[in-house]
Amino acid sequence: MDEPVRDLYNIPSETMSEKDLEESIDTLVEVFRKVETKDRKYHFKTFKKCFIGTEAVDNIIDSGHAQSREDAVLIGQALQEDHSLFEHVTRDHKFSDEYLFYHFIDEKKLGRRGVNEITGKASTWADFLNVSTSTTGNKQITYLPRLPLPDFDVVPPKDQHVASTIWPLDEHNATLLDRVHPTNWEDPVPHHSKNEKKSGAENTYDLIVIGAGAGGLVTSAGSAGLGARVALIESNLLGGDCLNVGCVPSKALIHSANLAHGAKCTRQLEESGITIEGGANAVKVNFPKVMERMRRIRSDISTNDSAERFTKQLGVEVFFGHGKFSSDRTVVVNGRTLEFRKAVIATGGYPALISMTGLKFLYEKANSTEVGAVRPIVMTNETLFNMTTQPKKLCVIGAGVVGMEMSQAMQRLGSEVVVFGRSGRVLPKEDLDLSNIVKNQIEEDGVSFRLSVKEYVSINMTGKVLDNGLPELCMTIQELVGGKVVKSEVLMDALLVAVGRKPNVTGMDLEKAGIEFDSRKGLVVNDRLLTTDPRVFGVG
């Protein structure tokens, strides 16, 4: 196999520099683009500006970049899969030496990363990790690493809200953000024929999806796969809760907790012929390493929900911004009006906070972008997975699914955990027998329960910083004890509020589309998930 094929498959040459490798790939791209493209018909359907696989193979061989047709196919597949140069017209086939139609991908039409003016390459979140200084004209630009948060002086304003909710900005989180919210993203440019452009059809979509969580991603990918022109609008992170602050990170944390628990069950191990010298006390948990593993796994999985995959591989046009309805058939995003034939609202929900004096203040302080600020560990599920220091005592308000999962996991990892609730039981929406089984198991793990709270009065910082570096918190509650309401103070160094969720239905100007909603229950839909605008569906 010749050298260019080796290079494309990331098999490094000892004598080839990174610059030489880039030039080699650029040369292959230039050669490949010389293949003839034109409109072609198949089964009574016309495919615009496409080329044929066999002709592209002929072109590569004629240029001298491959010695056989098999090598030419490998080069083509690398350009298709690793460099997203082109795709099969219906995305059904890899590149092959057959009479199949392919067309080149124009990143501008689907959305792409902007260029870093210092490096001249596509912008990445890693740009905010290392110190570098560059002078452009009379302006000097300096990048300064500030962990656990990036330098907000250099993060583009439209991306700062993302950087303030995902930290530390280590290599794993930087890679995650590169995939699910690339910095300095350039929206898709209008495209279509001259006649369509005159009529405004360049901004007309078969489907517009607002919200890129599980429901929005599946909807947009499936529709694009059937040939629809799809715009996907997301203001925060592709992948939504499941990837970023829900299923994926929580199960990674639970896995580590289960391993720690299993290692500490010395009696069961001894029955199986396994002995740990020193018993359960010999099992040590490296909490920063546990959280680093979680971030790495989340980052690895994020490829599936990435902007690059949805644009280059699935053909979805991705917009990062706030989508708002301007009529019953138009949506405005980043100042551009998009018209739709159908639309889907898949905006999900957000964690609720309870009414307690001082809670909102401390929660905002915990998520402050102020450099060097003392941050109390006051969390919801959206910020829980940002922890890098293990709390000594974690209090959890809410005995639902999230509260149960995380309380057990944190207890098994070595924190003292207390769960607070109002209903007198855990998992109040489930059968009593089931909830009792769960409660008994978690109590065996060491979690304490105080489930007869009448009022969450207040929470504040005591001014004391514990030896783990976390500020101490004091929560005052009124609870039922022995038939009497008693006022109690509880000390802790971390608080997780897990009391349920509220629907994301505000801020989209749904009224302008005639879409009815309830701020507590969400969108009003019928049995077919249609909203009161017959062109708009609700998902999730």
Side-chain angles (χ1 to χ4, degrees), residues 218-236:
V218 170
T219 301
S220 58
S223 300
L226 293 173
R229 186 185 179 200
V230 180
L232 176 62
I233 302 172
E234 172 57 51
S235 63
N236 196 21

Side-chain angles (χ1 to χ4, degrees), residues 72 108 258 307 324 342 348 399 440 493 530:
K108 291 182 180 180
N258 287 345
K324 295 185 178 184
K342 297 291 182 181
N440 292 339
D493 56 344
L530 268 176

Side-chain angles (χ1 to χ4, degrees), residues 146-302:
R146 294 177 182 175
L147 295 178
L149 297 172
D151 183 356
F152 286 91
D153 292 335
V154 295
V155 176
K158 67 177 183 179
D159 299 328
Q160 289 183 359
H161 69 289
V162 175
S164 66
T165 56
I166 295 289
W167 70 79
L169 193 58
D170 62 359
E171 59 178 311
H172 305 304
N173 278 343
T175 299
L176 170 72
L177 292 178
D178 281 341
R179 291 170 177 165
V180 301
H181 192 112
T183 184
N184 202 22
W185 181 259
E186 296 178 359
D187 286 341
V189 298
H191 61 282
H192 275 313
S193 68
K194 293 181 180 179
N195 291 334
E196 289 175 317
K197 192 170 183 178
K198 290 179 180 178
S199 66
E202 73 273 10
N203 281 328
T204 299
Y205 291 84
D206 298 307
L207 179 69
I208 291 179
V209 180
I210 302 178
L217 292 179
V218 170
T219 301
S220 58
S223 300
L226 293 173
R229 186 185 179 200
V230 180
L232 176 62
I233 302 172
E234 172 57 51
S235 63
N236 196 21
L237 305 176
L238 299 179
D241 278 8
C242 185
L243 170 67
N244 299 293
V245 296
C247 318
V248 172
S250 67
K251 300 312 173 286
L253 190 67
I254 289 170
H255 175 75
S256 294
N258 287 345
L259 290 177
H261 174 69
K264 292 175 182 178
C265 293
T266 54
R267 187 182 67 180
Q268 295 179 12
L269 291 174
E270 289 173 357
E271 290 177 353
S272 301
I274 300 170
T275 302
I276 296 179
E277 293 295 334
N281 293 330
V283 179
K284 305 298 182 184
V285 173
N286 184 334
F287 189 76
K289 188 70 174 177
V290 169
M291 300 305 288
E292 188 271 340
R293 173 185 176 273
M294 177 277 297
R295 295 193 298 273
R296 173 175 53 81
I297 290 173
R298 179 173 62 182
S299 173
D300 291 344
I301 291 176
S302 66

